[in-house]
Amino acid sequence: MRDAVVFIIWSEPVAKGRPRFARGRTYTAKKTKQYEDRVAEIARREMQSKPPLGGAVKMEVIACFRVPPSWPSWKRLAAQAGLIGHTHRPDLDNLGKAISDALNGIVYDDDCQITEMDIKKSYGYRNCVQVKVTPLKIHAAKNVTKEDLA
């Protein structure tokens, strides 16, 4: 079984934006598209031309937001120690969706392979997103036979 794919995106986390509509067509917002392209490029470098993971995978995402510089030092220290949660936008699920969509065809064939996902938002010293995709030791529904389970 292959090892987990792990990498860090050193920029502010960006959530998947709502689809945009123009002239009867649907398109992805520019900010979302640029972010997904950046995530995809970092993932390609990490994969080093290895094929995408097959079967079920688990994805773990930690989105770290820099503490606002306007906060007093006591509040900044408390946030960095994990005592204050990042309880405002962007939404947690949309952060995960931007990452999972960006990794399609690179880390795994399709994000439908994700059967487990852990996402966390927190404060820290720098903006970044830590991503870990781990192959799971379970069978993919599409390819499993009765003999595989015996």
Side-chain angles (χ1 to χ4, degrees):
M1 180 173 287
R2 286 181 43 189
D3 293 332
V5 177
V6 181
F7 59 93
I8 297 177
I9 304 140
W10 292 104
S11 68
E12 182 176 1
V14 175
K16 181 83 171 188
R18 295 190 183 277
R20 306 291 182 197
F21 303 94
R23 297 185 202 105
R25 299 182 118 190
T26 305
Y27 66 96
T28 302
K30 183 178 179 181
K31 184 177 180 181
T32 300
K33 177 74 172 118
Q34 289 174 337
Y35 184 70
E36 288 179 351
D37 288 348
R38 181 168 185 196
V39 172
E41 182 55 37
I42 293 167
R44 274 188 203 91
R45 275 186 271 158
E46 182 61 34
M47 292 297 288
Q48 300 175 355
S49 72
K50 290 181 256 181
L53 298 172
V57 298
K58 175 181 181 178
M59 187 166 91
E60 299 168 79
V61 176
I62 301 173
C64 191
F65 295 87
R66 189 171 72 96
V67 177
S70 60
W71 285 9
S73 61
W74 65 266
K75 192 172 183 181
R76 292 173 58 83
L77 290 171
Q80 290 166 343
L83 301 174
I84 299 174
H86 191 279
T87 56
H88 51 86
R89 294 191 184 275
D91 294 354
L92 190 72
D93 56 337
N94 293 332
L95 288 168
K97 186 64 176 157
I99 300 294
S100 65
D101 284 352
L103 302 183
N104 276 331
I106 302 167
V107 175
Y108 38 72
D109 290 317
D110 191 271
D111 56 356
C112 68
Q113 292 172 240
I114 301 170
T115 60
E116 294 181 36
M117 183 182 273
D118 290 331
I119 308 173
K120 178 182 177 181
K121 291 192 305 183
S122 66
Y123 284 110
Y125 298 99
R126 285 184 68 179
N127 288 321
C128 70
V129 179
Q130 300 169 42
V131 180
K132 180 178 182 181
V133 180
T134 308
L136 296 175
K137 295 178 182 179
I138 60 176
H139 296 281
K142 182 172 144 180
N143 300 325
V144 70
T145 66
K146 192 174 182 179
E147 291 75 31
D148 292 332
L149 301 177

